[in-house]
Amino acid sequence: MPGIIDRYRDYLGIPNIPAITLGEGHTPLISWATWEQSDIFLKLEGTNPTGSFKDRGMTVAVSVALSEGAQAVICASTGNTAASAAAYAGRAGLPAFVVAPKGRITQEKMLQALVHGATFLTVEGNFDAALAVVRATAQANPAIALVNSVNPWRLRGQETGAYEIVDELGQAPQALVLPVGNAGNISAYFQGFRRYGRGIPHMFGIQAQGASPLVAGYDFENPETIASAIRIGKPASKHLAQEAVAQSNGAFLAVSDEAILQAQRELARGGVFVEPASATAYAGLKVLREQKRLPAGPVAAILTGTGLKDGDTPRRWVDVKTQSTDADHLEGTIRALLKEGTVHVAH
Ligand SMILES: *Cc1c(COP(=O)(O)O)cnc(C)c1O
């Protein structure tokens, strides 16, 4: 399967440049459940090459940067952008500089950026501070391409998530539910549905309570949540996201960290392991169900990234224990456990 540039080149509006690709996109849209009149689908964006949807935008941003003669790429990141930028820059043969808030990025995401050869810099403060210095640096150095979602090519690439859903369902779903941090992805999906011309879903953007500027209506100076990928107080694409929600008759909702962990657990018990930011979308979906705000028909939630990149958070709810046994006793042990009923999986 070709990556998203070769599949959707006509819609992306990019010139005839070579694609720097790792085979991103064509992620599974799984049928998860039927809730009253709503058919719930989950789009598993964690199956992208570096484990998050960021790859859709990065393939386009890095391809365009290389064709325009960039000598390096730079980004601020809560982790997944760093991993993606590092991988695609590696594929393109370009150096990558990633700037992260000190101590606020998971070990796994940092490791990803480093193994791909990126130069990893940390700054004091939060993501919003990191983005501000990175923007200034890119502005002062035209040969360094900024690959955050303020780069319009990132959003164009991320539109392809919407195209894929329409291709699969034959039409846009009735509602789309996704986590919102810097607000680029919700804006990209909205533009994607609009451009593809097969209907526009009600757009529901879900934020973590401690980092919910779009719900509160004002920026957060000190955003705080376990969902590190959406721990953002001043969303760069705020206005586009507000337009997406207003024009589609959707809403922004906030969910607690506790609800996020519960959602992560529920998904994982059903076979789908996502990071807390992605579980936020599922927690929002459950709120919409409780409030009877889910439309009839197909409803899709975007599960933005794999759970494997944040190994610490699930330790808050998973019981990390093993039992030793030996060849003579294995069968008897399992029989006893089944009888006890303690190994029964309850969703
Ligand atoms: C980046 C990211 C988000 C937030 O997307 P925005 O475009 O910043 O709103 C959500 N989940 C994961 C896993 C991410 O990496």
Side-chain angles (χ1 to χ4, degrees), residues 51-54 78-81 109 149 154-155 158 179-186 229-230 232 275 277-278 303-306:
S52 85
F53 74 82
K54 299 295 198 296
T78 58
N80 284 329
T81 298
K109 291 171 185 175
S149 58
R154 276 277 310 275
L155 295 197
Q158 288 169 212
V180 172
N182 219 16
N185 210 30
I186 189 171
I230 52 171
I232 293 173
E275 70 168 88
S278 313
L303 301 186
T304 45
T306 174

Side-chain angles (χ1 to χ4, degrees), residues 166-180:
V166 171
D167 283 348
E168 199 142 334
L169 298 178
Q171 58 176 52
Q174 295 301 311
L176 191 84
V177 184
L178 74 178
V180 172

Side-chain angles (χ1 to χ4, degrees), residues 311-334:
D312 276 341
T313 306
R315 288 172 198 276
R316 293 170 187 246
W317 55 263
V318 77
D319 196 6
V320 185
K321 70 163 189 245
T322 57
Q323 303 186 29
S324 55
T325 184
D326 56 49
D328 291 342
H329 294 102
L330 179 62
E331 205 236 324
T333 304
I334 289 175

